[in-house]
Amino acid sequence: DTHYISRRSCTPDVAQTTLDDIAVTEQAMKQAAAENCGTIIITGDLTDVGDRYSHEEFAAILRDIKRSGKNVYVIFATHDYHHQKAYVKKFDDNKRRYTSYPWDAPYFDPDDFDYYSILTEEAKKEIGRENAKPELVEALSHNEIWELYHEFGPEQAISVYEQDFCYCVDIDENTRCLMLNDIFRNVECADISASFSPECFRWIKKCVEEAKRDGKFIFACSHHPFMPTVPAHRLGASQKNLRTPYTGKVLADLGVELGFVGHTHA
C-alpha cells in the first residue's frame, strides 16, 4: 500500500510527517527498482486520496521501474478512487494542509460537512469556522485510473475482465497471476465485504481452468484480504464489514492455492 502523495497536493505548511511519508515511498520504489527480481506487483492503494497529481506522478515512478528492466503489475483500491472525490482542508486564504479526511464519506458535500467541529479548541480560535471548510481537488474515476495504469498489467494480459477491472497475466513461462480489483459489494445482504461479482467469479474459474490446461501455476492478487487475516478481524468486525472467508473459500475450491493482498498494513 504505497499511499503516494504528490508534493503538488501539499502546501508550504504541510506536516513534516507527510513529507516523510512521500520520501519513504519514493525511496522504497527506488529500492524496488534495484532488487534482483523480474517482477514488481503492487496490490492497490497506490495513492492516498486518488487525486490526479498523485496518480500521474506515481505512474511516472512506475515507468522508471519498467525502464530498469522489470515487469510492473498493479491493481487499484478505495484510496485511489473512492467516489471520485478528493479533498484538502483549507486553513486560511493562502495555506492548505494535505488531508484525506473524509475520503470514506460516500456522498460527501463540503458545504454540509462541519469541519469546524473536529478541530481542537486552539485550532478553532486560530482558524475560525469559515476557513475550516475543505476544497475540492480533481480526482480520477475508475475508468480513468484503468487507462492511466493500462501499461502496468492490462496491456500484457492474456485475459481481461473489464467490467470489474481485472486481468490475468503470465509472470513467466511457468507462472500465471490473477490481478483482481475487488470493487463488487453485495448490497443485498448484510455482508458488504470486498468481493467479486458472480460474473467475475465465472471469469476467474475460466482463467484457473486454462492455467491448469496450460500446465501453469496460478496465484491471485487483490487489495483486500481473501479471508480474515487475524482473529481480531473476526472478533471485532461489524455487520457491514465481516471480512468473511467466503472469497478465499471460493478461490481455494477453484484451485487457487496462493494469494497476495494488501490493505491490513500488517
Side-chain angles (χ1 to χ4, degrees):
D1 292 21
T2 43
H3 287 279
Y4 182 74
I5 303 166
S6 166
R7 286 180 174 82
R8 287 188 290 171
S9 297
C10 302
T11 49
D13 69 332
V14 67
Q16 183 61 44
T17 52
T18 297
L19 297 176
D20 291 345
D21 287 345
I22 297 171
V24 167
T25 301
E26 291 173 341
Q27 180 61 26
M29 301 309 288
K30 289 178 183 177
Q31 289 179 212
E35 287 288 333
N36 182 24
C37 66
T39 300
I40 302 291
I41 292 174
I42 307 178
T43 57
D45 281 357
L46 310 176
T47 66
D48 202 45
V49 297
D51 63 286
R52 181 176 292 278
Y53 289 157
S54 296
H55 272 304
E56 290 177 346
E57 290 177 20
F58 192 69
I61 291 173
L62 296 183
R63 289 188 193 103
D64 287 340
I65 294 179
K66 281 188 72 173
R67 281 192 283 269
S68 74
K70 291 175 171 49
N71 295 314
V72 180
Y73 306 126
V74 305
I75 47 182
F76 49 89
T78 48
H79 275 265
D80 296 316
Y81 62 80
H82 204 79
H83 303 290
Q84 305 176 23
K85 291 181 173 66
Y87 297 89
V88 293
K89 191 188 298 179
K90 178 180 174 183
F91 272 63
D92 60 39
D93 291 338
N94 301 310
K95 297 180 182 179
R96 289 177 299 174
R97 288 183 187 273
Y98 170 86
T99 179
S100 60
Y101 189 92
W103 71 269
D104 56 352
Y107 305 105
F108 175 69
D109 183 343
D111 292 325
D112 288 343
F113 187 83
D114 185 9
Y115 259 97
Y116 187 76
S117 66
I118 66 172
L119 298 177
T120 63
E121 290 304 314
E122 183 180 356
K124 287 179 180 178
K125 294 176 183 177
E126 178 186 346
I127 297 165
R129 182 176 294 277
E130 186 61 28
N131 284 326
K133 286 185 178 180
E135 294 176 344
L136 186 64
V137 178
E138 185 178 6
L140 298 187
S141 67
H142 291 75
N143 286 322
E144 288 171 322
I145 297 169
W146 179 251
E147 289 301 317
L148 178 62
Y149 293 101
H150 208 258
E151 61 191 282
F152 306 111
E155 279 186 5
Q156 297 80 30
I158 61 171
S159 181
V160 176
Y161 185 71
E162 290 211 22
Q163 291 93 321
D164 286 354
F165 309 102
C166 300
Y167 62 95
C168 183
V169 64
D170 279 338
I171 300 295
D172 57 34
E173 61 182 13
N174 300 310
T175 314
R176 193 164 286 176
C177 178
L178 285 162
M179 295 295 283
L180 306 174
N181 275 301
D182 52 2
I183 64 173
F184 178 77
R185 302 292 186 274
N186 189 350
V187 297
E188 295 180 358
C189 66
D191 181 8
I192 56 172
S193 299
S195 187
F196 310 101
S197 66
E199 294 78 14
C200 189
F201 272 124
R202 283 191 281 272
W203 173 81
I204 292 171
K205 182 175 185 292
K206 182 172 180 288
C207 289
V208 174
E209 290 172 345
E210 291 174 351
K212 291 178 179 178
R213 180 199 65 196
D214 297 339
K216 292 180 181 284
F217 176 78
I218 187 166
F219 66 98
C221 293
S222 185
H223 178 68
H224 296 98
F226 295 126
M227 60 189 71
T229 52
V230 293
H233 288 174
R234 293 187 284 272
L235 295 172
S238 70
Q239 280 299 110
K240 289 187 177 181
N241 193 14
L242 297 176
R243 292 276 176 260
T244 66
Y246 172 78
T247 300
K249 184 179 186 306
V250 172
L251 291 177
D253 288 346
L254 292 177
V256 177
E257 300 176 9
L258 177 69
F260 287 102
V261 299
H263 182 65
T264 59
H265 298 203

